[in-house]
Amino acid sequence: MFRILFYRPEIPPNTGNAIRLSANTGVELHLVEPLGFAFEDKQLKRAGLDYHDLAHVRVHPDLGAAWAALLPANVYAFTARAEHRYTDVAYQAGDVLMFGPESAGLPDDVLAAPEITDRVRLPMRPGSRSLNLANTASIAIYEAWRQHDFRFGA
């Protein structure tokens, strides 16, 4: 299946919603520290409801540890500054869909990392800055999964 990578997420409900997304789609959720919250945070638990035991979540101390666990794989970095659309990608099993922190998105040094296969974006109206992190991850995962006819294990 596919993998989501949240680089230094800051807002507990977004990660809680991604935990629910993981449980309902079978994707793995990988988080790179530092996190802007503790796993005991009530907002995180509330957003994830009772899905925590059904989700595949792994926390990495830094990006190097995440790369070691996830590669080799295609890594698609989501950024509002990309030229390619997320729908231009032919997603494959094992692909990593990477998202940055809510306040700033992925930093330039991460976007330039050699591990990044491509930078992609979701279309938005002119003048819009960004979409919600959990919503963006959901849209992207469902597009990747749709391309595989919603088969489990794809």
Side-chain angles (χ1 to χ4, degrees):
M1 189 46 122
F2 309 104
R3 285 132 355 128
I4 297 171
L5 176 59
F6 280 3
Y7 177 79
R8 300 182 174 179
E10 302 165 328
I11 301 174
N14 282 329
T15 299
N17 286 329
I19 289 169
R20 185 186 285 195
L21 177 66
S22 170
N24 283 293
T25 62
V27 302
E28 295 176 8
L29 175 61
H30 293 259
L31 308 173
V32 174
E33 294 179 321
L35 308 179
F37 50 85
F39 265 87
E40 294 75 31
D41 188 292
K42 66 179 181 179
Q43 291 179 314
L44 176 77
K45 288 183 177 185
R46 179 183 219 186
L49 291 175
D50 57 352
Y51 290 96
H52 293 268
D53 293 341
L54 302 173
H56 308 279
V57 181
R58 186 162 171 199
V59 179
H60 305 280
D62 55 42
L63 190 54
W67 292 145
L70 294 166
L71 299 179
N74 292 318
V75 178
Y76 297 100
F78 282 71
T79 174
R81 297 177 282 153
E83 293 182 28
H84 300 120
R85 291 182 184 172
Y86 77 109
T87 53
D88 295 336
V89 174
Y91 297 98
Q92 301 301 315
D95 284 354
V96 177
L97 285 62
M98 182 179 193
F99 304 88
E102 293 90 340
S103 65
L106 291 167
D108 290 338
D109 63 321
V110 172
L111 288 170
E115 294 84 359
I116 303 293
T117 304
D118 200 358
R119 285 153 291 288
V120 297
R121 66 178 173 84
L122 270 68
M124 294 183 290
R125 294 178 62 174
S128 295
R129 188 174 60 86
S130 66
L131 290 168
N132 172 275
L133 175 62
N135 292 345
T136 302
S138 295
I139 292 166
I141 285 299
Y142 270 87
E143 170 58 19
W145 198 20
R146 181 199 65 78
Q147 290 182 14
H148 291 263
D149 200 29
F150 300 103
R151 292 185 311 274
F152 291 101

